[in-house]
């Protein structure tokens, strides 16, 4: 279950509740990012995993989830990165196939710091995301610039079925290329640290 999320492209990052899917992957992540308490689902399966090492890629996060006993339990993963540099913003959006799997993720990754590099980041997990479920996450990003052909695969959200990556649903309209300028880093933890979204350089969930 691996899918989409990104950062806002504004010199002054907007408040989470103001974030809307934008043309950039920043927008994408921004859209997905934090929402108000009322927006959270009663049984949230989509989580925002924060304070990841900036060196981590989407596939590295998937490997970590597999190692922590979550193999085959997630169907959407999106780790927003800056389009200009390919460096992540340090957070990701992951949807799990069940509430139990999501709870296991919280239990195993909250406070986690045994990274494969020398990072001193201490992981935290939040269920207060604007969009819940694989279908909502897919709809948020399928027409986003983050899915443009010019964007590197690692910067895009991915979906899975029983641990096997599946083709992402095609867009329903023409996708615009992401902006070339590098967006300012988003603030995923503000306003409750929801998983609303920042994204690669410019895409909003």
């Amino acid at each position: 279950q691996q899918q989409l999320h990104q950062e806002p492209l504004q010199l002054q990052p907007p408040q989470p509740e103001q974030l809307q899917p934008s043309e950039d992957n920043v927008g994408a992540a921004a859209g997905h990012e934090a929402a108000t308490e009322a927006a959270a689902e009663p049984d949230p399966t989509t989580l925002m995993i924060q304070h990841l090492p900036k060196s981590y890629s989407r596939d590295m996060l998937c490997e970590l989830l597999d190692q922590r006993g979550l193999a085959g339990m997630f169907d959407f993963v999106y780790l927003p990165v800056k389009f200009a540099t390919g460096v992540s913003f340090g957070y990701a959006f992951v949807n799990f196939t069940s509430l139990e799997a999501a709870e296991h993720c919280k239990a195993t990754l909250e406070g986690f710091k045994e990274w494969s590099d020398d990072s001193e980041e201490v992981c935290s997990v939040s269920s207060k995301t604007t969009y819940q479920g694989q279908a909502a996450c897919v709809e948020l990003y399928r027409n986003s610039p983050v899915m443009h052909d010019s964007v590197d695969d690692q910067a895009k959200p991915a979906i899975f079925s029983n641990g096997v990556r599946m083709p992402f649903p095609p867009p329903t309209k023409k996708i615009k290329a992401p902006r070339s300028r590098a967006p300012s880093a988003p603030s995923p933890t503000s306003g409750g640290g929801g998983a609303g979204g920042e994204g690669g350089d410019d895409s909003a969930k």
Side-chain angles (χ1 to χ4, degrees), residues 184-198:
S184 57
S187 174
T189 58
S190 63
E198 304 183 344

Side-chain angles (χ1 to χ4, degrees), residues 158-179:
I159 59 174
F160 304 79
S161 176
N162 297 316
V164 178
R165 187 172 177 185
M166 305 298 287
F168 207 84
T172 57
K173 62 183 180 181
K174 184 176 181 180
I175 296 178
K176 296 180 180 179
R179 300 175 217 176

Side-chain angles (χ1 to χ4, degrees), residues 5 42 54 64 68 172 181 201:
H5 308 294
K54 298 293 179 63
L64 175 63
R68 304 303 292 183
T172 57
R181 71 187 183 84
D201 279 59

Side-chain angles (χ1 to χ4, degrees), residues 4 32 59 62 94 101 103 122 137 156 189:
L4 335 156
H32 202 174
D59 288 353
C62 290
V94 180
E103 291 297 331
V122 178
C137 292
K156 297 179 178 181
T189 58

Side-chain angles (χ1 to χ4, degrees), residues 104 153 179:
H104 178 58
D153 181 69
R179 300 175 217 176

Side-chain angles (χ1 to χ4, degrees), residues 5 47-50 52 61 77-80 90-94 195:
H5 308 294
L47 305 179
M48 182 180 196
I49 302 175
Q50 305 170 87
L52 296 171
L61 173 59
V77 177
Y78 177 49
L79 188 146
Y91 64 94
F93 300 100
V94 180

Side-chain angles (χ1 to χ4, degrees), residues 14 23-25 38 40 47 71 78 81 83-84 96 98 104 125 128 131 142 145 155 162 168 178 195 197:
E23 293 184 341
D24 301 354
N25 59 8
L47 305 179
Y78 177 49
V81 303
F83 287 147
F96 293 88
S98 68
H104 178 58
V125 182
K128 294 182 179 179
Y131 298 88
R142 67 189 304 178
N162 297 316
F168 207 84

Side-chain angles (χ1 to χ4, degrees), residues 88-176:
S88 83
F89 287 112
Y91 64 94
F93 300 100
V94 180
N95 184 67
F96 293 88
T97 54
S98 68
L99 178 60
E100 292 71 23
E103 291 297 331
H104 178 58
C105 176
K106 287 184 183 179
T108 191
L109 289 186
E110 184 68 38
F112 180 85
K113 53 185 178 181
E114 300 170 25
W115 311 108
S116 60
D117 60 10
D118 59 358
S119 174
E120 297 182 357
E121 292 284 355
V122 178
C123 188
S124 64
V125 182
S126 172
S127 60
K128 294 182 179 179
T129 70
T130 308
Y131 298 88
Q132 283 293 327
Q134 186 196 59
C137 292
V138 167
E139 286 306 308
L140 177 63
Y141 292 107
R142 67 189 304 178
N143 293 317
S144 167
V146 74
M147 298 305 297
H148 192 270
D149 290 342
S150 64
V151 176
D152 184 76
D153 181 69
Q154 284 293 317
K156 297 179 178 181
I159 59 174
F160 304 79
S161 176
N162 297 316
V164 178
R165 187 172 177 185
M166 305 298 287
F168 207 84
T172 57
K173 62 183 180 181
K174 184 176 181 180
I175 296 178
K176 296 180 180 179

